[in-house]
Amino acid sequence: MTTPIPAHPSLEFDRKQARKLLTQIQAGDAAAIARLCRSHPRYRNSTTVDTGQIILADTQLILAREYGFPSWPRWKAFVEISALNTAQRIEQFLRAACGGSVTHAANLLRIDASFTAHDLCAAAAAGDVTSVRRLVAAGTVNLDQGPLGTTPLVYACQSRLLVTDAARRDSIVECARLLLAAGADPNRGFMRSPGDAPETVQTAIYGAAGIANHPHLTRLLIDAGARPTDSETVYHTAEFADTTCLALILPHAGQHDIHYCLA
């Protein structure tokens, strides 16, 4: 049985329903136990159920699966994200994709990725090539913007989806290429907090080589003039077993960075 998703779903209402269902199951209500056996994977097709073993997490799972979601956390994420407006989705996505929570970033895209059509930074970080092609004409490729106060190219290169989402990886690289072709500065970055040391700036090349370890993206940035002199890029790129990116950046790194890395 699939329950239609309300126009304005409420987690508070669903939590109350889950507690009510738990009470019914523990009381031996036949209809409630039938829902358990129909929707809970652990009890599917069971002929007997020890109702004393059922807990709130079980009935929350039943509600989620009746809505068509595999788990309560997935349903919870859907409800919370559905309540956000476009600007909120863009802000949360950019923070999450660039080091906050890649799971949250993926959830935002999974539930409704249309917000990337409205923002160049979000489009670049998500690999929305069509929107990047359209939005790059606005000429904001070197404007510091978004919640991290940096450029679209940096959002693209710092996007953890380059690491976790194989389906979007090539598209994000293509977005970076389009931004570079439009004149994006390859040496821009941002600071995670005001008190950080200047050499810990989160640059585009650090994202490409030191986080994603992506040779093609690293080569695009190097060819465009990116220089890995931030004391982070060389250090973290050297941590990967695949040294392709390290070989690309070492000829352009400062001696201090190389010596620090080797030490």
Side-chain angles (χ1 to χ4, degrees):
M1 179 180 70
T2 300
T3 303
I5 296 175
H8 302 287
S10 166
L11 288 175
E12 181 181 359
F13 173 80
D14 288 329
R15 289 189 179 102
K16 291 178 179 178
Q17 292 301 303
R19 286 193 290 269
K20 179 180 178 181
L21 179 58
L22 176 62
T23 299
Q24 292 171 335
I25 290 173
Q26 292 176 339
D29 182 276
I33 293 173
R35 287 176 67 184
L36 172 74
C37 295
R38 183 169 56 244
S39 299
H40 198 300
R42 192 165 69 247
Y43 296 99
R44 184 168 294 151
N45 302 320
S46 296
T47 55
T48 59
V49 175
D50 183 354
T51 58
Q53 297 297 312
I54 306 303
I55 60 175
L56 183 60
D58 293 314
T59 53
Q60 288 178 334
L61 174 59
I62 291 169
L63 263 65
R65 292 179 75 88
E66 288 177 346
Y67 280 124
F69 288 76
S71 67
W72 175 261
R74 287 283 290 273
W75 168 246
K76 181 174 179 288
F78 172 83
V79 175
E80 292 173 341
I81 290 170
S82 296
L84 301 175
N85 61 35
T86 298
Q88 291 170 328
R89 293 186 188 205
I90 290 170
E91 178 174 357
Q92 288 197 15
F93 170 72
L94 289 172
R95 289 189 184 279
C98 297
S101 167
V102 73
T103 299
H104 185 51
N107 282 336
L108 283 157
L109 292 172
R110 183 185 301 110
I111 290 168
D112 182 3
S114 62
F115 66 88
T116 64
H118 303 279
D119 183 83
L120 181 57
C121 297
D128 181 353
V129 176
T130 299
S131 294
V132 168
R133 289 186 188 278
R134 174 174 53 83
L135 294 169
V136 77
T140 61
V141 295
N142 285 316
L143 178 67
D144 289 336
Q145 52 195 295
L148 302 178
T150 191
T151 65
L153 178 64
V154 179
Y155 283 110
C157 295
Q158 285 277 335
S159 176
R160 275 31 174 202
L161 296 173
L162 281 164
V163 179
T164 63
D165 194 334
R168 291 181 179 272
R169 191 172 299 143
D170 290 347
S171 296
I172 295 173
V173 174
E174 175 61 12
C175 289
R177 188 193 68 78
L178 290 170
L179 290 166
L180 287 167
D185 184 347
N187 287 300
R188 298 289 283 276
F190 68 97
M191 306 301 294
R192 291 211 176 274
S193 63
D196 287 347
E199 62 268 19
T200 62
V201 61
Q202 309 288 301
T203 60
I205 192 71
Y206 173 32
I211 297 174
N213 196 41
H214 195 292
H216 182 42
L217 181 56
T218 300
R219 187 176 292 108
L220 282 174
L221 291 167
I222 289 293
D223 289 346
R227 294 296 173 259
T229 55
D230 49 46
S231 296
E232 293 287 333
T233 301
V234 175
Y235 182 84
H236 289 289
T237 305
E239 295 175 329
F240 292 97
D242 183 345
T243 58
T244 305
C245 288
L246 185 61
L248 287 169
I249 65 173
L250 280 180
H252 308 280
Q255 289 302 306
H256 168 75
D257 299 301
I258 295 172
H259 294 163
Y260 177 63
C261 172
L262 291 175

